[in-house]
Amino acid sequence: MAVKGNPGDNRTRSSVSIIIVVGLCCFFYLLGAWQRSGFGKGDSIAVQVNKQTDCTLLPNLNFETHHNKENIPTDLSDSSVRTFKPCDDKYNDYTPCQDQRRAMTFPRDNMIYRERHCPPDEEKLYCLIPAPKGWVNPFPWPKSRDFVPFANAPYKSLTVEKAVQNWVQYEGNVFRFPGGGTQFPQGADKYIDQLASVIPIDNGTVRTALDTEGKYLMEVDRVLRPGGFWVLSGPPINWKNNYQAWQRTKEDLEEEQKKIEEVAELLCWEKFSEKGEIAVWRKRINADSCPGRQDEPRVKICESGNADDVWYKKMEACVTPYPEVNNPEEVAGGAIKTFPERLNDVPPRISSDSVPGFSVEKYHEDNNLWKKHVKAYKGVNKLLDSGRYRNIMDMNAGLGSFAAAIESPKLWVMNVVPTIAEKSTLGVVYERGLIGIYHDWCEAFSTYPRTYDLIHANGVFSLYKNKCKMEDILLEMDRILRPEGAVILRDSVDVLIKVKKLAAGMRWNMKMADHEDGPFVTEKVLYVVKQYWVGGTNKTAEG
């Protein structure tokens, strides 16, 4: 005989089953999220870490500029942390590896004294480089192209020494840059217009340019793309009309131009144009366009298999070979699209597998990842697209995807590829139409103090762990950052905690934020604003 069950019992069992199922779903969801985060040490530790890092939505970090005298803090020290004192005011313009006094102690042979010469550890300054008294933020772009506040570079000597050439004029409380110069007295704009009438600048074919003398044409050939242009303006071009103004003899200038023409021919460059003060040569697109160059006894082909391996290497008098091609019409190394299409197009070095570990798929992944990161940055710092930041540096640029994601006509990015990086990606940066440079962050960067408005540092401190002191890198960042400039540091939480503690004595306002994917991801972001302060009363330097 069947026994009829109690309806209330059935409802109770159903309710319990639903609760159990929902509970299990929640448990496994949280477990999966915990495992994907890579945290691996339990929620209690994650909560503790979040408390330590003070991750918030950064409501009190002000990215606006103020730079009034009333806002200069008088006492910014914190007794609980190491405080970095201001350097003596004589170091306002200190550029460690290009220090003129140090340079003059080196040999003149081959212009060695003009190369980088960085101070050893015992001579490094462990103090903060002050801005000149009265320093103000530069004018916004494009006004900053033509005007600079006198207080930011209070030196009138250049206006006297170069008065005839009209490079710079002192007007009231600003410097004005009319353009000037011997070669382009009507200004840089007119000069660029002349160039555009000869080479394809306007359509985006020519994106990156190197301003150089001429002297080391084999090195110019190394850095020049197949099909790229080399422009020479000034002596000896148009020497017949200008020799008196240059205070040189006709014979001397004629011989100089003859030598340039001979070297260009040896390099197999095509004479593209000579018009007025400007001469243009074009590098051939491949080795097949230069029949017989291999057999030319005066041309030595470089033996090194890596043309990018140039950091602190002696320059050789040899010609870098072209990459191989399959037919005479193919551009060696791969054809590049015009800008801005090339910014996100797959670079030839990636599509040809020339950079180990970076496939086309990985390239697209990297691009998408940095679009996501930059979107998060803009959510915190609303001024990123406003023109507030003109000069930006990416200290560990990788493929240049940060610069590509933040690309705007209102700003430009210096992409730095660390010399100790696992992969050399600088060539990819240039193929995307961006600019960049190699650098070792254990040394000072060769630039004037207060050059950059914003510095981005992704994984820099993890990369240089046990390579040099953390404060060496932080103080160099502070030196090249303008007052009230910003820094964005992305790294693992344990590294950023150390950075934050050390930087607390550097007159930086800081706030930690979670990764875009949530608090359980160990990678965090540290947002920084450098406080406004200037020199004028500082008379001591800490060595």
Side-chain angles (χ1 to χ4, degrees):
M1 177 183 291
V3 180
K4 186 176 181 180
N6 190 325
D9 292 341
N10 290 334
R11 283 196 297 271
T12 301
R13 282 195 293 269
S14 297
S15 299
V16 171
S17 299
I18 291 172
I19 292 171
I20 291 173
V21 170
V22 171
L24 286 172
C25 288
C26 292
F27 171 77
F28 286 115
Y29 174 82
L30 291 174
L31 180 62
W34 175 73
Q35 290 174 331
R36 283 196 304 274
S37 71
F39 207 89
K41 294 186 179 179
D43 290 347
S44 60
I45 299 180
V47 170
Q48 186 61 35
V49 168
N50 287 334
K51 286 181 179 178
Q52 262 189 293
T53 56
D54 190 24
C55 294
T56 70
L57 293 177
L58 318 172
N60 60 341
L61 199 60
N62 193 344
F63 295 98
E64 297 284 354
T65 59
H66 303 280
H67 60 69
N68 298 320
K69 291 183 180 179
E70 303 89 272
N71 293 318
I72 304 176
T74 56
D75 184 11
L76 297 166
S77 62
D78 183 343
S79 58
S80 63
V81 299
R82 176 185 177 184
T83 300
F84 293 94
K85 296 181 180 179
C87 301
D88 191 286
D89 290 338
K90 68 181 180 181
Y91 292 104
N92 282 347
D93 305 325
Y94 186 52
T95 306
C97 299
Q98 308 291 157
D99 182 37
Q100 185 66 16
R101 291 168 299 177
R102 179 185 300 280
M104 298 307 292
T105 66
F106 286 85
R108 302 297 191 273
D109 301 345
N110 297 320
M111 303 295 238
I112 290 174
Y113 75 106
R114 288 193 174 182
E115 296 178 0
R116 283 173 52 85
H117 300 291
C118 300
D121 285 347
E122 60 271 17
E123 294 182 26
K124 289 181 179 178
L125 297 179
Y126 287 94
C127 52
L128 303 174
I129 302 297
K133 188 176 182 180
W135 191 94
V136 295
N137 270 288
F139 298 113
W141 182 263
K143 184 178 179 180
S144 61
R145 180 183 60 183
D146 301 318
F147 296 93
V148 169
F150 172 73
N152 292 6
Y155 312 107
K156 297 180 183 178
S157 56
L158 194 61
T159 65
V160 177
E161 293 175 14
K162 297 294 182 180
V164 177
Q165 296 187 12
N166 201 32
W167 279 2
V168 56
Q169 295 179 350
Y170 175 62
E171 299 178 354
N173 61 350
V174 300
F175 286 122
R176 184 172 72 88
F177 296 85
T182 307
Q183 275 62 61
F184 29 94
Q186 294 179 306
D189 288 345
K190 294 291 184 182
Y191 173 67
I192 293 171
D193 289 342
Q194 291 179 48
L195 285 182
S197 70
V198 179
I199 59 177
I201 293 177
D202 292 339
N203 68 358
T205 298
V206 175
R207 167 63 178 171
T208 47
L210 177 67
D211 185 0
T212 177
E213 295 182 359
K215 234 167 182 185
Y216 300 101
L217 293 187
M218 289 185 179
E219 175 64 4
V220 173
D221 185 76
R222 184 188 71 82
V223 301
L224 199 61
R225 286 195 186 105
F229 298 91
W230 182 63
V231 178
L232 178 60
S233 62
I237 304 304
N238 201 15
W239 58 267
K240 292 179 182 178
N241 294 322
N242 293 326
Y243 73 95
Q244 289 180 322
W246 295 333
Q247 298 181 344
R248 293 176 61 182
T249 65
K250 291 182 178 180
E251 294 75 17
D252 182 33
L253 289 162
E254 184 178 19
E255 182 63 23
E256 185 175 324
Q257 177 148 359
K258 182 181 177 182
K259 288 181 179 179
I260 290 172
E261 301 275 7
E262 287 176 354
V263 175
E265 186 177 351
L266 286 174
L267 293 170
C268 204
W269 292 357
E270 173 192 7
K271 185 68 173 290
F272 196 74
S273 170
E274 184 169 343
K275 183 179 177 182
E277 314 295 328
I278 301 171
V280 181
W281 284 263
R282 189 175 193 180
K283 184 174 177 176
R284 308 280 184 171
I285 63 170
N286 56 44
D288 290 351
S289 306
C290 301
R293 186 170 80 158
Q294 298 279 359
D295 302 324
E296 169 58 59
R298 292 173 296 172
V299 175
K300 178 187 174 185
I301 304 298
C302 298
E303 297 177 359
S304 173
N306 185 3
D308 296 337
D309 186 18
V310 294
W311 180 252
Y312 279 158
K313 297 294 174 68
K314 187 176 181 180
M315 191 181 296
E316 295 183 60
C318 61
V319 177
T320 304
Y322 282 95
E324 294 183 1
V325 295
N326 297 315
N327 61 72
E329 288 74 38
E330 184 181 349
V331 178
I336 297 177
K337 291 186 177 180
T338 57
F339 196 85
E341 287 78 17
R342 75 169 68 164
L343 187 62
N344 291 300
D345 189 52
V346 179
R349 276 177 167 85
I350 298 293
S351 58
S352 64
D353 293 325
S354 299
V355 184
F358 286 106
S359 62
V360 172
E361 183 182 7
K362 289 283 186 183
Y363 170 78
H364 288 305
E365 287 178 2
D366 189 71
N367 245 0
N368 292 331
L369 178 64
W370 281 104
K371 287 177 182 177
K372 175 182 173 181
H373 288 336
V374 168
K375 183 179 179 181
Y377 295 160
K378 291 180 178 179
V380 173
N381 188 340
K382 311 292 185 184
L383 302 177
L384 278 176
D385 278 333
S386 69
R388 161 75 177 84
Y389 307 107
R390 171 65 182 173
N391 298 354
I392 297 178
M393 171 183 279
D394 191 0
M395 294 177 67
N396 187 14
L399 300 177
S401 296
F402 165 77
I406 205 172
E407 196 272 334
S408 162
K410 298 177 182 177
L411 55 85
W412 66 274
V413 181
M414 171 59 76
N415 295 278
V416 181
V417 175
T419 55
I420 66 169
E422 186 179 350
K423 308 292 182 185
S424 176
T425 55
L426 188 59
V428 174
V429 169
Y430 275 100
E431 287 181 341
R432 299 184 74 169
L434 302 167
I435 59 171
I437 193 171
Y438 288 119
H439 186 62
D440 181 356
W441 284 112
C442 288
E443 297 179 355
F445 194 77
S446 289
T447 193
Y448 190 81
R450 302 171 296 281
T451 298
Y452 291 93
D453 303 302
L454 185 145
I455 298 175
H456 179 253
N458 173 47
V460 169
F461 291 97
S462 288
L463 180 66
Y464 279 91
K465 187 178 181 180
N466 301 323
K467 299 290 191 305
C468 54
K469 296 177 182 176
M470 188 176 282
E471 52 263 48
D472 285 343
I473 300 175
L474 285 168
L475 289 170
E476 178 60 7
M477 293 170 68
D478 185 82
R479 185 186 73 84
I480 65 178
L481 185 67
R482 289 178 180 150
E484 297 189 308
V487 182
I488 302 175
L489 298 112
R490 178 179 289 271
D491 218 314
S492 63
V493 63
D494 56 326
V495 170
L496 289 185
I497 288 173
K498 294 176 183 176
V499 169
K500 188 179 179 185
K501 182 176 181 180
L502 194 60
M506 290 177 53
R507 307 189 178 199
W508 285 8
N509 295 329
M510 297 174 286
K511 210 70 174 172
M512 196 89 81
D514 288 322
H515 189 279
E516 307 89 71
D517 292 339
F520 299 116
V521 181
T522 55
E523 185 177 84
K524 305 290 180 184
V525 183
L526 184 64
Y527 291 91
V528 175
V529 176
K530 179 178 176 178
Q531 297 173 6
Y532 176 80
W533 65 278
V534 298
T537 58
N538 306 312
K539 297 299 177 186
T540 181
E542 294 286 319

